[in-house]
Amino acid sequence: MSWRDDFADILDADRDLAESSYYRIGGRARAFLEPRDAGETAALVAALARAGEPWRVLGGGANVLMDDADHDEPIVHPSRLRGRVEDGELVRVGAGESFPRLVADVAREGREGLETLAGIPGQVGGICAMNAGGRHGEFADRVVRVQVATTDGELRWLARDEVGFGYRHTDLPAGVVTAVELRLPFASDPEAVRGRAAEILRRKKETQPLRLPSSGCVFANPEGGSAGRLIDELGLKGRRVGDAEISPLHGNFIVNLGAARYAEVLALIDEIEAEAASRRGIALRREIRVWPAWRRPAEMS
Ligand code: EPU
């Protein structure tokens, strides 16, 4: 029996990935798996690791560019790992919860700490795995510990120091984030917390192209600089390949004007990287994850 039989209940063999992508780009997944709880996630991850083929984790789809060809690699989507448990300042949240909803809910309850991350899309697990953030803070600032379903089939709680949080980076062990525990104290001035969130959202709407599909900032900021400003200075804003465009509003966004293809977005990414390297000597680091499709060799299928 293969893992396909063991996890048939939670497997979709024909899932349109474009629907799960903020870019609205993506082919069909031939094994899209939505485990029902953390224990099942651990069993699944162990089975996939034993099978020895590549596999991936998809959170909210806010920070990935997926190939529009068919994907044979199993894709684990922890969207059913929901729920919130509170114990004073501590808030434990399932990885599949919507992050913007969490930010709004805790601000409404008068807790502070997440309002600086207002406007960042995604699911809690992905936000954690990427250490998402912006100019006002990053997710790691509030983390107490992180639960991971590891490839040896265990559920492990890692303390903040063990996660290896860096700038848009973590050193989590291979596996899937299943839950996080955050410290979110009650604010003395809850109105001020909500005001800070509203102000950050207002500024983003002014400076970022939020009406068109995209994965937000494509590149991490180079040390001491801004990728958006750099791309602007290189004169690349407004450059188009097919329906993919470097946003005229913010240089670090590549937007989908309607029917953009994976290869078109990738061509713009490559062009920006080449220009930044040749004209400025800067090696930009991709913040978004690019997912080429993996095709199972014919003899294995
Ligand atoms: N700028 C330009 N031209 C542009 C874009 C920006 O001159 O086309 C200038 C701005 O005027 C500003 C500076 O560059 O002086 C920085 O720009 P901005 O304030 O927009 O912030 P950022 O560094 O580009 C970061 C995060 C964003 C986050 C914002 C606000 C990274 C790579 N980006 O952007 O995150 O929304 O701060 O907190 O850290 C994302 O991760 O997807 C993302 C969009």
Side-chain angles (χ1 to χ4, degrees):
M1 289 251 290
S2 88
W3 59 264
R4 275 189 171 264
D5 303 307
D6 293 336
F7 294 96
D9 283 0
I10 58 164
L11 185 147
D12 181 349
D14 185 26
R15 175 66 69 103
D16 179 4
L17 290 171
E19 281 174 15
S20 302
S21 144
Y22 271 62
Y23 256 124
R24 297 281 165 253
I25 298 173
R28 323 265 336 162
R30 296 302 170 201
F32 194 82
L33 296 134
E34 293 177 275
R36 288 163 288 206
D37 55 39
E40 189 167 52
T41 309
L44 172 63
V45 165
L48 293 175
R50 272 197 305 275
E53 291 179 358
W55 58 279
R56 298 184 187 280
V57 192
L58 176 66
N63 215 37
V64 282
L65 171 64
M66 294 187 271
D67 201 330
D68 35 30
D70 279 2
H71 292 248
D72 283 347
E73 75 277 18
I75 295 178
V76 181
H77 186 48
S79 57
R80 292 187 188 167
L81 309 185
R82 307 294 282 273
R84 181 142 72 93
V85 181
E86 308 192 348
D87 178 9
E89 290 187 348
L90 298 180
V91 179
R92 193 182 304 170
V93 199
E97 290 287 345
S98 151
F99 186 66
R101 185 163 313 138
L102 175 69
V103 172
D105 285 351
V106 297
R108 197 167 41 248
E109 291 158 19
R111 292 179 183 274
E112 67 183 346
L114 288 186
E115 73 281 3
T116 54
L117 304 179
I120 301 183
Q123 286 175 4
V124 167
I127 294 283
C128 175
M130 306 256 347
N131 190 18
R135 57 169 48 209
H136 309 282
E138 55 185 26
F139 185 74
D141 299 341
R142 303 298 158 202
V143 170
V144 177
R145 54 187 190 143
V146 176
Q147 190 189 47
V148 185
T150 63
T151 48
D152 48 18
E154 282 175 19
L155 280 176
R156 277 174 60 197
W157 278 104
L158 301 176
R160 185 180 184 284
D161 293 353
E162 298 174 288
V163 176
F165 284 114
Y167 170 56
R168 304 291 171 278
H169 173 86
T170 54
D171 280 324
L172 286 162
V176 176
V177 173
T178 46
V180 301
E181 191 171 274
L182 307 172
R183 175 165 286 114
L184 301 173
F186 288 98
S188 51
D189 185 355
E191 208 39 60
V193 172
R194 290 188 281 270
R196 283 201 290 277
E199 173 57 20
I200 290 170
L201 284 172
R202 193 189 62 73
R203 241 201 93 60
K204 282 200 180 198
K205 282 187 192 137
E206 249 172 48
T207 59
Q208 301 182 355
L210 304 180
R211 284 168 193 275
L212 289 168
S214 84
S215 276
C217 287
V218 175
F219 299 101
N221 284 331
E223 204 153 320
S226 154
R229 184 184 298 134
L230 171 67
I231 294 161
D232 196 347
E233 288 169 0
L234 290 170
L236 296 171
K237 282 163 78 168
R239 181 77 56 106
R240 266 179 82 166
V241 177
D243 254 357
E245 180 184 56
I246 302 175
S247 169
L249 189 59
H250 194 299
N252 203 6
F253 281 64
I254 298 176
V255 293
N256 178 357
L257 296 175
R261 307 297 308 258
Y262 168 73
E264 295 169 351
V265 180
L266 210 49
L268 288 175
I269 293 176
D270 287 344
E271 186 176 346
I272 293 168
E273 286 172 349
E275 295 274 316
S278 68
R279 288 166 57 194
R280 294 293 187 85
I282 294 176
L284 284 172
R285 171 165 77 83
R286 294 178 188 179
E287 184 192 301
I288 62 169
R289 305 283 166 90
V290 177
W291 286 13
W294 181 74
R295 301 311 312 270
R296 181 173 289 105
E299 69 274 14
M300 288 168 71
S301 53

PDB file of all heavy atoms in Angstrom, residues 189-202:
ATOM      1  N   ASP A 189      -4.224  50.734  26.228  1.00  0.00           N
ATOM      2  CA  ASP A 189      -5.026  51.603  25.378  1.00  0.00           C
ATOM      3  C   ASP A 189      -5.420  50.863  24.084  1.00  0.00           C
ATOM      4  O   ASP A 189      -4.790  51.034  23.041  1.00  0.00           O
ATOM      5  CB  ASP A 189      -4.209  52.866  25.037  1.00  0.00           C
ATOM      6  CG  ASP A 189      -5.019  53.874  24.245  1.00  0.00           C
ATOM      7  OD1 ASP A 189      -6.169  53.569  23.875  1.00  0.00           O
ATOM      8  OD2 ASP A 189      -4.483  54.973  23.985  1.00  0.00           O
ATOM      9  N   PRO A 190      -6.466  50.042  24.163  1.00  0.00           N
ATOM     10  CA  PRO A 190      -6.862  49.218  23.013  1.00  0.00           C
ATOM     11  C   PRO A 190      -7.205  50.059  21.784  1.00  0.00           C
ATOM     12  O   PRO A 190      -6.962  49.634  20.645  1.00  0.00           O
ATOM     13  CB  PRO A 190      -8.118  48.484  23.494  1.00  0.00           C
ATOM     14  CG  PRO A 190      -8.125  48.607  24.964  1.00  0.00           C
ATOM     15  CD  PRO A 190      -7.356  49.830  25.329  1.00  0.00           C
ATOM     16  N   GLU A 191      -7.723  51.246  21.993  1.00  0.00           N
ATOM     17  CA  GLU A 191      -8.080  52.105  20.863  1.00  0.00           C
ATOM     18  C   GLU A 191      -6.829  52.466  20.054  1.00  0.00           C
ATOM     19  O   GLU A 191      -6.850  52.509  18.829  1.00  0.00           O
ATOM     20  CB  GLU A 191      -8.771  53.367  21.411  1.00  0.00           C
ATOM     21  CG  GLU A 191      -9.752  54.009  20.461  1.00  0.00           C
ATOM     22  CD  GLU A 191     -10.587  53.012  19.657  1.00  0.00           C
ATOM     23  OE1 GLU A 191     -11.322  52.202  20.243  1.00  0.00           O
ATOM     24  OE2 GLU A 191     -10.453  53.060  18.427  1.00  0.00           O
ATOM     25  N   ALA A 192      -5.724  52.701  20.764  1.00  0.00           N
ATOM     26  CA  ALA A 192      -4.462  53.042  20.095  1.00  0.00           C
ATOM     27  C   ALA A 192      -3.962  51.867  19.252  1.00  0.00           C
ATOM     28  O   ALA A 192      -3.407  52.053  18.169  1.00  0.00           O
ATOM     29  CB  ALA A 192      -3.413  53.442  21.129  1.00  0.00           C
ATOM     30  N   VAL A 193      -4.169  50.648  19.740  1.00  0.00           N
ATOM     31  CA  VAL A 193      -3.758  49.451  18.988  1.00  0.00           C
ATOM     32  C   VAL A 193      -4.512  49.398  17.669  1.00  0.00           C
ATOM     33  O   VAL A 193      -3.921  49.224  16.591  1.00  0.00           O
ATOM     34  CB  VAL A 193      -4.044  48.167  19.811  1.00  0.00           C
ATOM     35  CG1 VAL A 193      -3.807  46.919  18.973  1.00  0.00           C
ATOM     36  CG2 VAL A 193      -3.188  48.146  21.070  1.00  0.00           C
ATOM     37  N   ARG A 194      -5.836  49.589  17.742  1.00  0.00           N
ATOM     38  CA  ARG A 194      -6.653  49.545  16.524  1.00  0.00           C
ATOM     39  C   ARG A 194      -6.277  50.700  15.587  1.00  0.00           C
ATOM     40  O   ARG A 194      -6.256  50.543  14.369  1.00  0.00           O
ATOM     41  CB  ARG A 194      -8.135  49.564  16.884  1.00  0.00           C
ATOM     42  CG  ARG A 194      -8.565  48.248  17.547  1.00  0.00           C
ATOM     43  CD  ARG A 194     -10.068  48.181  17.737  1.00  0.00           C
ATOM     44  NE  ARG A 194     -10.516  48.940  18.891  1.00  0.00           N
ATOM     45  CZ  ARG A 194     -10.632  48.451  20.116  1.00  0.00           C
ATOM     46  NH1 ARG A 194     -10.320  47.185  20.353  1.00  0.00           N
ATOM     47  NH2 ARG A 194     -11.046  49.188  21.123  1.00  0.00           N
ATOM     48  N   GLY A 195      -5.933  51.831  16.155  1.00  0.00           N
ATOM     49  CA  GLY A 195      -5.515  52.984  15.351  1.00  0.00           C
ATOM     50  C   GLY A 195      -4.229  52.699  14.594  1.00  0.00           C
ATOM     51  O   GLY A 195      -4.090  53.055  13.422  1.00  0.00           O
ATOM     52  N   ARG A 196      -3.280  52.017  15.266  1.00  0.00           N
ATOM     53  CA  ARG A 196      -1.999  51.692  14.600  1.00  0.00           C
ATOM     54  C   ARG A 196      -2.242  50.755  13.417  1.00  0.00           C
ATOM     55  O   ARG A 196      -1.675  50.936  12.337  1.00  0.00           O
ATOM     56  CB  ARG A 196      -1.033  51.026  15.591  1.00  0.00           C
ATOM     57  CG  ARG A 196      -0.366  52.008  16.558  1.00  0.00           C
ATOM     58  CD  ARG A 196       0.914  51.429  17.156  1.00  0.00           C
ATOM     59  NE  ARG A 196       0.682  50.343  18.102  1.00  0.00           N
ATOM     60  CZ  ARG A 196       0.376  50.514  19.385  1.00  0.00           C
ATOM     61  NH1 ARG A 196       0.248  51.736  19.889  1.00  0.00           N
ATOM     62  NH2 ARG A 196       0.200  49.482  20.189  1.00  0.00           N
ATOM     63  N   ALA A 197      -3.124  49.753  13.628  1.00  0.00           N
ATOM     64  CA  ALA A 197      -3.426  48.811  12.536  1.00  0.00           C
ATOM     65  C   ALA A 197      -4.051  49.560  11.360  1.00  0.00           C
ATOM     66  O   ALA A 197      -3.669  49.349  10.204  1.00  0.00           O
ATOM     67  CB  ALA A 197      -4.360  47.711  13.031  1.00  0.00           C
ATOM     68  N   ALA A 198      -4.997  50.436  11.652  1.00  0.00           N
ATOM     69  CA  ALA A 198      -5.699  51.162  10.576  1.00  0.00           C
ATOM     70  C   ALA A 198      -4.724  52.044   9.801  1.00  0.00           C
ATOM     71  O   ALA A 198      -4.786  52.132   8.572  1.00  0.00           O
ATOM     72  CB  ALA A 198      -6.826  52.004  11.168  1.00  0.00           C
ATOM     73  N   GLU A 199      -3.795  52.665  10.490  1.00  0.00           N
ATOM     74  CA  GLU A 199      -2.822  53.546   9.844  1.00  0.00           C
ATOM     75  C   GLU A 199      -1.895  52.747   8.904  1.00  0.00           C
ATOM     76  O   GLU A 199      -1.590  53.178   7.789  1.00  0.00           O
ATOM     77  CB  GLU A 199      -2.018  54.284  10.938  1.00  0.00           C
ATOM     78  CG  GLU A 199      -0.843  55.112  10.449  1.00  0.00           C
ATOM     79  CD  GLU A 199      -1.231  56.176   9.409  1.00  0.00           C
ATOM     80  OE1 GLU A 199      -2.421  56.542   9.339  1.00  0.00           O
ATOM     81  OE2 GLU A 199      -0.327  56.610   8.654  1.00  0.00           O
ATOM     82  N   ILE A 200      -1.456  51.576   9.376  1.00  0.00           N
ATOM     83  CA  ILE A 200      -0.584  50.738   8.543  1.00  0.00           C
ATOM     84  C   ILE A 200      -1.331  50.284   7.287  1.00  0.00           C
ATOM     85  O   ILE A 200      -0.802  50.324   6.170  1.00  0.00           O
ATOM     86  CB  ILE A 200      -0.053  49.532   9.356  1.00  0.00           C
ATOM     87  CG1 ILE A 200       0.959  50.038  10.400  1.00  0.00           C
ATOM     88  CG2 ILE A 200       0.566  48.474   8.453  1.00  0.00           C
ATOM     89  CD1 ILE A 200       1.391  49.009  11.422  1.00  0.00           C
ATOM     90  N   LEU A 201      -2.590  49.882   7.458  1.00  0.00           N
ATOM     91  CA  LEU A 201      -3.396  49.459   6.303  1.00  0.00           C
ATOM     92  C   LEU A 201      -3.592  50.611   5.312  1.00  0.00           C
ATOM     93  O   LEU A 201      -3.512  50.424   4.106  1.00  0.00           O
ATOM     94  CB  LEU A 201      -4.771  48.958   6.774  1.00  0.00           C
ATOM     95  CG  LEU A 201      -4.764  47.566   7.392  1.00  0.00           C
ATOM     96  CD1 LEU A 201      -6.133  47.248   7.995  1.00  0.00           C
ATOM     97  CD2 LEU A 201      -4.425  46.516   6.332  1.00  0.00           C
ATOM     98  N   ARG A 202      -3.835  51.792   5.848  1.00  0.00           N
ATOM     99  CA  ARG A 202      -4.050  52.963   5.000  1.00  0.00           C
ATOM    100  C   ARG A 202      -2.810  53.229   4.141  1.00  0.00           C
ATOM    101  O   ARG A 202      -2.873  53.445   2.944  1.00  0.00           O
ATOM    102  CB  ARG A 202      -4.359  54.185   5.878  1.00  0.00           C
ATOM    103  CG  ARG A 202      -4.897  55.390   5.117  1.00  0.00           C
ATOM    104  CD  ARG A 202      -4.967  56.621   6.012  1.00  0.00           C
ATOM    105  NE  ARG A 202      -3.660  57.039   6.518  1.00  0.00           N
ATOM    106  CZ  ARG A 202      -2.710  57.623   5.796  1.00  0.00           C
ATOM    107  NH1 ARG A 202      -2.935  57.888   4.529  1.00  0.00           N
ATOM    108  NH2 ARG A 202      -1.550  57.948   6.325  1.00  0.00           N
TER     109      ARG A 202
END
